[in-house]
Amino acid sequence: MSNPQQLRYSKEHEWLSVAEDGVSTVGITEFAANALGDVVYAELPEVGSTVTAGESCGELESTKSVSDLYAPVDGEIVEINQDVVDDPALVNSAPFEGGWLFKVRVTEEPADLLSADEYVAFTAG
């Protein structure tokens, strides 16, 4: 499993891109997508809503279970990935590309986000 080095990772298995103009893209990791199984439904936060790091902001439903989606940062949702809402399997087939979940205008980023190497060590333990 290869986690892109340029991303940061939460211990709840979300990834976060480096902010461009204050906006970051968020998705779940390949590790989380594999653990969930085939994702069949995605409930994403509403555009304009605010999210708080570590708090639930949506959910993903798979053939195995329902899992909360956690915000990795504080901020305002500026876009959701409608393609994932229409075809939730994108979360499994392309978790780091077309399977991204939402974009957030970051107001605060927690200090405990992990590098790719730290995330690999976290998931191995």
CSV table of all heavy atoms in Angstrom, one decimal, residues 80-115:
chain,number,residue,atom,x,y,z
A,80,ILE,N,-18.1,19.4,-2.1
A,80,ILE,CA,-18.1,17.9,-1.9
A,80,ILE,C,-17.9,17.2,-3.3
A,80,ILE,O,-18.1,17.9,-4.3
A,80,ILE,CB,-19.5,17.4,-1.3
A,80,ILE,CG1,-20.7,17.7,-2.2
A,80,ILE,CG2,-19.7,18.0,0.1
A,80,ILE,CD1,-21.9,16.9,-1.9
A,81,ASN,N,-17.5,16.0,-3.3
A,81,ASN,CA,-17.3,15.3,-4.5
A,81,ASN,C,-18.6,14.6,-4.9
A,81,ASN,O,-18.9,13.5,-4.4
A,81,ASN,CB,-16.1,14.3,-4.3
A,81,ASN,CG,-15.7,13.6,-5.6
A,81,ASN,OD1,-16.4,13.7,-6.6
A,81,ASN,ND2,-14.6,12.9,-5.5
A,82,GLN,N,-19.3,15.2,-5.8
A,82,GLN,CA,-20.6,14.6,-6.2
A,82,GLN,C,-20.4,13.3,-6.9
A,82,GLN,O,-21.3,12.4,-6.8
A,82,GLN,CB,-21.3,15.6,-7.1
A,82,GLN,CG,-22.8,15.2,-7.4
A,82,GLN,CD,-23.7,15.1,-6.2
A,82,GLN,OE1,-23.7,15.9,-5.3
A,82,GLN,NE2,-24.4,14.0,-6.1
A,83,ASP,N,-19.3,13.1,-7.5
A,83,ASP,CA,-19.0,11.8,-8.2
A,83,ASP,C,-19.0,10.6,-7.2
A,83,ASP,O,-19.5,9.6,-7.5
A,83,ASP,CB,-17.6,11.8,-8.9
A,83,ASP,CG,-17.6,12.7,-10.1
A,83,ASP,OD1,-18.7,13.1,-10.6
A,83,ASP,OD2,-16.5,13.1,-10.5
A,84,VAL,N,-18.5,10.9,-5.9
A,84,VAL,CA,-18.5,9.9,-4.9
A,84,VAL,C,-19.9,9.6,-4.4
A,84,VAL,O,-20.3,8.5,-4.1
A,84,VAL,CB,-17.6,10.2,-3.7
A,84,VAL,CG1,-17.8,9.4,-2.5
A,84,VAL,CG2,-16.1,10.1,-4.2
A,85,VAL,N,-20.7,10.7,-4.3
A,85,VAL,CA,-22.1,10.5,-3.9
A,85,VAL,C,-22.8,9.6,-4.9
A,85,VAL,O,-23.6,8.7,-4.5
A,85,VAL,CB,-22.8,11.9,-3.7
A,85,VAL,CG1,-24.3,11.7,-3.4
A,85,VAL,CG2,-22.2,12.7,-2.6
A,86,ASP,N,-22.6,9.9,-6.2
A,86,ASP,CA,-23.2,9.2,-7.3
A,86,ASP,C,-22.7,7.7,-7.4
A,86,ASP,O,-23.4,6.8,-7.8
A,86,ASP,CB,-23.1,9.9,-8.6
A,86,ASP,CG,-23.8,11.2,-8.6
A,86,ASP,OD1,-24.7,11.4,-7.8
A,86,ASP,OD2,-23.5,12.1,-9.4
A,87,ASP,N,-21.4,7.6,-7.2
A,87,ASP,CA,-20.7,6.3,-7.3
A,87,ASP,C,-19.7,6.1,-6.2
A,87,ASP,O,-18.5,6.3,-6.3
A,87,ASP,CB,-19.9,6.3,-8.7
A,87,ASP,CG,-19.3,4.9,-8.9
A,87,ASP,OD1,-19.5,3.9,-8.2
A,87,ASP,OD2,-18.4,4.9,-9.9
A,88,PRO,N,-20.2,5.6,-5.0
A,88,PRO,CA,-19.4,5.5,-3.8
A,88,PRO,C,-18.2,4.5,-4.0
A,88,PRO,O,-17.3,4.6,-3.2
A,88,PRO,CB,-20.4,5.0,-2.8
A,88,PRO,CG,-21.7,5.4,-3.2
A,88,PRO,CD,-21.6,5.3,-4.7
A,89,ALA,N,-18.3,3.6,-5.0
A,89,ALA,CA,-17.2,2.7,-5.2
A,89,ALA,C,-15.9,3.4,-5.5
A,89,ALA,O,-14.8,2.8,-5.4
A,89,ALA,CB,-17.6,1.7,-6.3
A,90,LEU,N,-15.9,4.7,-5.9
A,90,LEU,CA,-14.7,5.4,-6.2
A,90,LEU,C,-13.8,5.5,-5.0
A,90,LEU,O,-12.6,5.6,-5.1
A,90,LEU,CB,-15.1,6.8,-6.7
A,90,LEU,CG,-15.6,7.0,-8.1
A,90,LEU,CD1,-16.1,8.4,-8.3
A,90,LEU,CD2,-14.5,6.6,-9.1
A,91,VAL,N,-14.4,5.5,-3.8
A,91,VAL,CA,-13.6,5.5,-2.5
A,91,VAL,C,-12.7,4.3,-2.5
A,91,VAL,O,-11.6,4.4,-2.0
A,91,VAL,CB,-14.6,5.5,-1.3
A,91,VAL,CG1,-13.8,5.3,0.0
A,91,VAL,CG2,-15.4,6.8,-1.3
A,92,ASN,N,-13.2,3.1,-3.0
A,92,ASN,CA,-12.3,1.9,-3.0
A,92,ASN,C,-11.4,1.9,-4.2
A,92,ASN,O,-10.2,1.5,-4.0
A,92,ASN,CB,-13.2,0.7,-3.1
A,92,ASN,CG,-14.1,0.5,-1.9
A,92,ASN,OD1,-15.3,0.8,-2.0
A,92,ASN,ND2,-13.6,0.1,-0.7
A,93,SER,N,-11.8,2.3,-5.3
A,93,SER,CA,-11.0,2.1,-6.5
A,93,SER,C,-10.0,3.2,-6.7
A,93,SER,O,-8.9,3.0,-7.3
A,93,SER,CB,-11.9,2.1,-7.8
A,93,SER,OG,-12.6,3.3,-8.0
A,94,ALA,N,-10.2,4.4,-6.1
A,94,ALA,CA,-9.3,5.5,-6.3
A,94,ALA,C,-9.3,6.4,-5.1
A,94,ALA,O,-9.6,7.6,-5.1
A,94,ALA,CB,-9.6,6.3,-7.5
A,95,PRO,N,-8.9,5.9,-3.9
A,95,PRO,CA,-9.0,6.7,-2.7
A,95,PRO,C,-8.2,8.0,-2.6
A,95,PRO,O,-8.6,8.9,-2.0
A,95,PRO,CB,-8.6,5.7,-1.5
A,95,PRO,CG,-7.7,4.7,-2.2
A,95,PRO,CD,-8.3,4.6,-3.6
A,96,PHE,N,-7.1,8.0,-3.4
A,96,PHE,CA,-6.3,9.2,-3.4
A,96,PHE,C,-6.5,10.1,-4.6
A,96,PHE,O,-5.9,11.1,-4.8
A,96,PHE,CB,-4.8,8.8,-3.3
A,96,PHE,CG,-4.4,8.1,-2.0
A,96,PHE,CD1,-4.1,6.8,-1.9
A,96,PHE,CD2,-4.5,8.9,-0.8
A,96,PHE,CE1,-3.8,6.2,-0.7
A,96,PHE,CE2,-4.2,8.2,0.4
A,96,PHE,CZ,-3.8,6.9,0.4
A,97,GLU,N,-7.3,9.6,-5.5
A,97,GLU,CA,-7.6,10.4,-6.8
A,97,GLU,C,-9.0,10.8,-6.8
A,97,GLU,O,-9.5,11.7,-6.1
A,97,GLU,CB,-7.1,9.6,-8.0
A,97,GLU,CG,-5.6,9.4,-8.1
A,97,GLU,CD,-5.2,8.0,-7.4
A,97,GLU,OE1,-6.1,7.1,-7.3
A,97,GLU,OE2,-4.1,7.9,-7.0
A,98,GLY,N,-9.8,10.1,-7.7
A,98,GLY,CA,-11.2,10.4,-7.9
A,98,GLY,C,-12.1,10.2,-6.7
A,98,GLY,O,-13.2,10.6,-6.7
A,99,GLY,N,-11.6,9.4,-5.7
A,99,GLY,CA,-12.4,9.1,-4.5
A,99,GLY,C,-12.3,10.0,-3.4
A,99,GLY,O,-12.7,9.7,-2.3
A,100,TRP,N,-11.7,11.2,-3.6
A,100,TRP,CA,-11.7,12.2,-2.6
A,100,TRP,C,-13.1,12.6,-2.1
A,100,TRP,O,-14.1,12.4,-2.9
A,100,TRP,CB,-10.9,13.5,-3.0
A,100,TRP,CG,-11.5,14.2,-4.2
A,100,TRP,CD1,-11.3,14.0,-5.5
A,100,TRP,CD2,-12.4,15.3,-4.1
A,100,TRP,NE1,-12.0,14.9,-6.2
A,100,TRP,CE2,-12.7,15.7,-5.4
A,100,TRP,CE3,-13.0,16.0,-3.1
A,100,TRP,CZ2,-13.6,16.8,-5.7
A,100,TRP,CZ3,-13.9,17.1,-3.4
A,100,TRP,CH2,-14.2,17.4,-4.7
A,101,LEU,N,-13.3,13.1,-0.9
A,101,LEU,CA,-14.6,13.3,-0.4
A,101,LEU,C,-15.1,14.7,-0.3
A,101,LEU,O,-16.2,15.0,-0.8
A,101,LEU,CB,-14.7,12.7,1.1
A,101,LEU,CG,-14.3,11.2,1.1
A,101,LEU,CD1,-14.3,10.7,2.6
A,101,LEU,CD2,-15.3,10.4,0.3
A,102,PHE,N,-14.3,15.6,0.2
A,102,PHE,CA,-14.7,17.0,0.3
A,102,PHE,C,-13.5,18.0,0.3
A,102,PHE,O,-12.4,17.5,0.6
A,102,PHE,CB,-15.6,17.3,1.4
A,102,PHE,CG,-15.1,17.0,2.8
A,102,PHE,CD1,-14.3,17.9,3.5
A,102,PHE,CD2,-15.3,15.8,3.4
A,102,PHE,CE1,-13.8,17.7,4.8
A,102,PHE,CE2,-14.8,15.5,4.7
A,102,PHE,CZ,-14.1,16.4,5.4
A,103,LYS,N,-13.8,19.2,0.1
A,103,LYS,CA,-12.7,20.3,0.2
A,103,LYS,C,-13.2,21.2,1.3
A,103,LYS,O,-14.3,21.5,1.5
A,103,LYS,CB,-12.6,21.0,-1.1
A,103,LYS,CG,-12.0,20.1,-2.2
A,103,LYS,CD,-11.7,20.9,-3.5
A,103,LYS,CE,-11.1,19.9,-4.5
A,103,LYS,NZ,-10.6,20.6,-5.7
A,104,VAL,N,-12.2,21.6,2.1
A,104,VAL,CA,-12.4,22.4,3.3
A,104,VAL,C,-11.5,23.6,3.3
A,104,VAL,O,-10.3,23.5,3.1
A,104,VAL,CB,-12.3,21.5,4.6
A,104,VAL,CG1,-10.9,20.9,4.7
A,104,VAL,CG2,-12.7,22.3,5.8
A,105,ARG,N,-12.1,24.8,3.7
A,105,ARG,CA,-11.3,26.0,3.9
A,105,ARG,C,-10.8,25.9,5.3
A,105,ARG,O,-11.6,26.0,6.3
A,105,ARG,CB,-12.0,27.3,3.7
A,105,ARG,CG,-11.2,28.5,3.9
A,105,ARG,CD,-11.9,29.8,3.4
A,105,ARG,NE,-12.4,29.7,2.1
A,105,ARG,CZ,-11.8,29.7,0.9
A,105,ARG,NH1,-10.5,29.9,0.9
A,105,ARG,NH2,-12.4,29.6,-0.2
A,106,VAL,N,-9.5,25.6,5.5
A,106,VAL,CA,-9.0,25.3,6.8
A,106,VAL,C,-8.8,26.5,7.7
A,106,VAL,O,-8.2,27.5,7.2
A,106,VAL,CB,-7.6,24.6,6.7
A,106,VAL,CG1,-7.0,24.3,8.0
A,106,VAL,CG2,-7.7,23.3,5.8
A,107,THR,N,-9.4,26.5,8.9
A,107,THR,CA,-9.2,27.6,9.9
A,107,THR,C,-8.2,27.2,10.9
A,107,THR,O,-7.6,28.0,11.5
A,107,THR,CB,-10.5,28.0,10.5
A,107,THR,OG1,-11.1,26.8,11.1
A,107,THR,CG2,-11.5,28.6,9.5
A,108,GLU,N,-8.1,25.9,11.2
A,108,GLU,CA,-7.1,25.4,12.2
A,108,GLU,C,-6.8,24.0,11.9
A,108,GLU,O,-7.6,23.1,11.6
A,108,GLU,CB,-7.6,25.5,13.6
A,108,GLU,CG,-6.5,25.2,14.6
A,108,GLU,CD,-6.9,25.6,16.0
A,108,GLU,OE1,-7.8,26.4,16.2
A,108,GLU,OE2,-6.4,25.0,16.9
A,109,GLU,N,-5.5,23.7,11.9
A,109,GLU,CA,-5.0,22.3,11.6
A,109,GLU,C,-4.3,21.8,12.9
A,109,GLU,O,-3.5,22.4,13.5
A,109,GLU,CB,-3.9,22.4,10.5
A,109,GLU,CG,-3.5,21.1,10.0
A,109,GLU,CD,-2.5,21.2,8.9
A,109,GLU,OE1,-3.0,21.8,7.8
A,109,GLU,OE2,-1.4,20.8,9.0
A,110,PRO,N,-4.8,20.6,13.4
A,110,PRO,CA,-4.2,20.1,14.6
A,110,PRO,C,-2.7,19.7,14.4
A,110,PRO,O,-2.3,19.4,13.3
A,110,PRO,CB,-5.1,18.8,14.9
A,110,PRO,CG,-5.8,18.5,13.7
A,110,PRO,CD,-5.8,19.8,12.8
A,111,ALA,N,-2.0,19.7,15.5
A,111,ALA,CA,-0.6,19.4,15.4
A,111,ALA,C,-0.3,17.9,15.3
A,111,ALA,O,0.8,17.5,15.0
A,111,ALA,CB,0.1,19.9,16.7
A,112,ASP,N,-1.3,17.0,15.5
A,112,ASP,CA,-1.1,15.6,15.5
A,112,ASP,C,-1.3,14.9,14.2
A,112,ASP,O,-1.4,13.7,14.1
A,112,ASP,CB,-1.9,14.9,16.6
A,112,ASP,CG,-3.4,15.0,16.4
A,112,ASP,OD1,-3.9,15.8,15.5
A,112,ASP,OD2,-4.2,14.4,17.1
A,113,LEU,N,-1.4,15.6,13.1
A,113,LEU,CA,-1.5,15.0,11.8
A,113,LEU,C,-0.2,14.3,11.5
A,113,LEU,O,0.9,14.7,11.9
A,113,LEU,CB,-1.8,16.0,10.7
A,113,LEU,CG,-3.2,16.5,10.7
A,113,LEU,CD1,-3.4,17.6,9.7
A,113,LEU,CD2,-4.3,15.5,10.6
A,114,LEU,N,-0.2,13.1,10.8
A,114,LEU,CA,0.9,12.3,10.6
A,114,LEU,C,1.5,12.5,9.1
A,114,LEU,O,0.7,12.7,8.2
A,114,LEU,CB,0.5,10.8,10.8
A,114,LEU,CG,-0.1,10.5,12.1
A,114,LEU,CD1,-0.6,9.0,12.0
A,114,LEU,CD2,0.8,10.7,13.2
A,115,SER,N,2.8,12.2,9.0
A,115,SER,CA,3.4,12.2,7.7
A,115,SER,C,3.0,10.8,7.1
A,115,SER,O,2.5,9.9,7.8
A,115,SER,CB,4.9,12.3,7.8
A,115,SER,OG,5.4,11.1,8.4
